[in-house]
Every structure is written in structure tokens, then in C-alpha cells.
Amino acid sequence: MGNFLEETKRYIGLTEADARLLAAAGPRLERHLPRLAELFYQKILEEEGMARLVSAPGVLERLKGTLQAWARTVFGGRYDDPYAEQRRHIGETHVRAGVPQKYVISAMSLARTFLLRAVDEEVADVQQASATKRAL
């Protein structure tokens, strides 16, 4: 997977400096992650078909925790084979669960927008915040 991962990082322009910026922001963004999960799944529940997918007892709370764990890895600063493998596993899980691609794309946009705003709140230096958001 290493070659694919390196090609992907090169394609999106993710550098080691970006990884350091994201890792530095991570601890400051931790307090925002529960709210991210609440808003994310509030939106999911607005869609009847998606609500059915997460309606089994305990599933919604488990998924909120999983989303927060995902966000922690986004700001973990390590974008290596285990990171890529985890992303592949997440994608396969969504496919097996029957999550339509349009919801995955839309939900990731929602998460990214939330995290961009959280960076603005938590990173006081305007240049560092801008660089961190570009890396995100």
C-alpha cells in the first residue's frame, strides 16, 4: 500500500510539514470532537434511509465514538500504511453497510467544514491556522 499512499500524498500535496501542523492542532481540537459527532449524526438522522442504518440499539453511540477516533487520526500526524489501511477498512465497512456514496462524500464535507472552523477557534496565529486548514 506504500506506493499508493505516497502517490496520494503527493497528489494532494500533503507534506511532512503539513503532518506536523495537523499533529500540533490535534490536542487543541480534542474538545470539539464530541460536538462534531453530535452534529454529524444529527445530519445523518435527517435522512430516513441513513437513520435506518444506525437505528439498532447502541449503534449510534458506538459510531459517534468511532467518528471521534477517526478525527484523532486525521490530526495524528502519521499518514503511513496503518493509516491507509484503516481508511480502506472504513470504506469497505461503509460499502458492506450499504451507505450510498453520496452520503459518505457529503458527510465528509460536513466534517471537514466543522474541523476547519474548529481550527480557526483554536489556532490563534493566523498564518499557522491558514496552513493547518490547507493541510486538512
Side-chain angles (χ1 to χ4, degrees):
M1 187 161 308
N3 193 33
F4 170 77
L5 181 62
E6 292 308 313
E7 287 176 18
T8 302
K9 288 194 292 191
R10 190 172 43 256
Y11 180 76
I12 65 172
L14 184 69
T15 65
E16 289 301 317
D18 293 332
R20 287 189 297 277
L21 284 167
L22 292 169
R28 289 180 271 179
L29 296 176
E30 181 67 32
R31 72 181 189 92
H32 294 271
L33 300 185
R35 183 72 180 139
L36 167 63
E38 288 299 322
L39 291 173
F40 185 93
Y41 283 102
Q42 177 183 342
K43 195 69 172 170
I44 294 290
L45 291 171
E46 290 175 8
E47 298 298 324
E48 186 178 325
M50 292 300 298
R52 272 186 254 132
L53 289 175
V54 299
S55 65
V59 170
L60 190 58
E61 288 308 311
R62 180 178 54 79
L63 290 174
K64 286 177 183 179
T66 300
L67 179 67
Q68 291 177 67
W70 166 84
R72 286 182 193 100
T73 64
V74 169
F75 291 96
R78 292 188 59 138
Y79 312 103
D80 52 11
D81 284 341
Y83 177 88
E85 177 60 28
Q86 182 186 42
R87 292 318 190 258
R88 185 189 63 74
H89 176 73
I90 291 169
E92 288 176 352
T93 300
H94 284 89
V95 168
R96 277 194 313 276
V99 178
Q101 188 177 25
K102 67 182 179 180
Y103 292 121
V104 174
I105 293 167
S106 299
M108 284 298 93
S109 178
L110 178 79
R112 185 171 186 270
T113 298
F114 179 93
L115 293 170
L116 290 170
R117 289 181 183 141
V119 168
D120 278 335
E121 284 186 40
E122 297 298 331
V123 181
D125 180 271
V126 174
Q127 288 182 334
Q128 185 177 359
S130 179
T132 301
K133 291 186 300 183
R134 185 195 53 75
L136 184 57

